[in-house]
């Protein structure tokens, strides 16, 4: 019943949160509550190349303030694929449990320097085939693998991944719709501008036609008047050109 309640809460948090970080933070808090371990943390893949795991700064637990040294070491530690517990989980996509970090040669670097950590557990959060986060939990005592807990956290992690996948698809659709709306708005403005330019050109052509017709009428009038007062072709040419020059 408690697992079902946690699962429902995590899914609700993931769906209702306003940001990816907020959803991760709330999911970690609920999963850490189910695990009952005193400390939880999230590693995230970097967005730039080369892609490595970086500490997220997202912590939760009943004794967060007591692990200052361990948190400082973690915040300064990045992992490549296959390196350390987070890197191995990231690389193979499977959860990992370290019952005694001091007796395990594969324990994370920061766990072997007397920071009060006894056991560690880590699992991936997947969106489709892509791992978007590594959740890790720490105990101040050694702890043998609890397979029921591992399965419960895996189940919750899988549901969280599906929620994020759906949210990512919805965000992609919203982004595409926004881009389409922006494109439509730009095209409408361009069409309006084109219509404005075409209307302006139509008015200019109409004005030009009107002026040319007026000018032709004036020239025709000059030619007719000159013809009536000229006694020869030579006189007509001389008088007509003089009047055109005066008109100009």
């Amino acid at each position: 019943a408690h697992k079902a309640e946690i699962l429902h809460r995590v899914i609700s948090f993931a769906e209702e949160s306003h940001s990816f970080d907020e959803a991760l933070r709330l999911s970690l808090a609920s999963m850490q509550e189910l695990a009952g371990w005193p400390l939880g943390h999230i590693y995230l893949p970097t967005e730039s190349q080369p892609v490595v795991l970086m500490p997220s700064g997202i912590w939760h637990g009943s004794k967060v303030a007591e692990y200052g040294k361990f948190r400082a070491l973690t915040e300064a530690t990045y992992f490549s694929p296959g390196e350390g517990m987070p890197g191995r989980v990231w690389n193979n996509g499977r959860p990992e449990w370290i019952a005694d970090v001091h007796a395990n040669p594969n324990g994370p670097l920061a766990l072997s320097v007397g920071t009060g950590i006894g056991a560690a557990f880590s699992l991936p959060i997947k969106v489709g085939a892509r791992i978007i986060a590594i959740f890790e939990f720490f105990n101040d005592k050694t702890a043998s693998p609890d397979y029921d807990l591992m399965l419960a956290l895996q189940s919750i992690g899988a549901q969280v991944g599906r929620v994020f996948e759906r949210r990512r698809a919805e965000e992609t659709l919203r982004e595409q719709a926004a881009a389409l709306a922006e494109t439509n708005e730009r095209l409408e403005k361009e069409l309006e501008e084109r219509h404005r330019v075409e209307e302006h050109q139509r008015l200019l052509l109409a004005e030009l036609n009107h002026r040319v017709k007026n000018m032709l009428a004036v020239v025709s009038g000059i030619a007719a008047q000159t013809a009536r007062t000229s006694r020869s072709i030579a006189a007509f040419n001389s008088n007509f050109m003089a009047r055109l020059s005066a008109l100009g």
Side-chain angles (χ1 to χ4, degrees), residues 198-215:
E198 289 176 349
E199 178 64 15
H200 184 62
Q201 289 176 339
R202 188 187 65 79
L203 292 175
L204 287 177
L205 287 174
E207 178 66 16
L208 179 61
N209 287 336
H210 177 69
R211 294 191 181 192
V212 168
K213 289 178 180 178
N214 285 345
M215 185 58 64

Side-chain angles (χ1 to χ4, degrees), residues 221-242:
I222 292 173
Q225 184 179 6
T226 303
R228 285 195 299 270
T229 60
S230 299
R231 296 181 178 181
S232 65
I233 295 298
F236 173 82
N237 286 339
S238 177
N239 293 335
F240 183 66
M241 295 307 295

